[in-house]
Amino acid sequence: MSDNARRILVLRHWLEHMEELPASPWRDREIFITALKLREAAAYVIGWGC
């Protein structure tokens, strides 16, 4: 598995974990930031390959 693919998996698991936590401003900010990073990483892999 490439480093980029591994990064996507880590971000996805982190995002799923954050969504399970009780609502808070910190949690909402982390979800927003992580979702953005996940989209960027996935776009890179799709556009340029693993």
Side-chain angles (χ1 to χ4, degrees):
M1 177 182 300
S2 72
D3 290 340
N4 291 326
R6 186 174 296 112
R7 175 174 165 76
I8 289 172
L9 286 175
V10 168
L11 287 170
R12 179 178 162 91
H13 286 288
W14 175 252
L15 183 60
E16 289 175 357
H17 170 71
M18 294 304 296
E19 289 173 340
E20 293 173 359
L21 294 176
S24 73
W26 176 82
R27 177 198 150 233
D28 294 343
R29 186 181 72 241
E30 287 298 314
I31 288 174
F32 179 79
I33 292 169
T34 303
L36 179 62
K37 289 179 181 179
L38 180 58
R39 282 192 297 271
E40 289 174 351
Y44 176 80
V45 169
I46 292 168
W48 296 96
C50 292

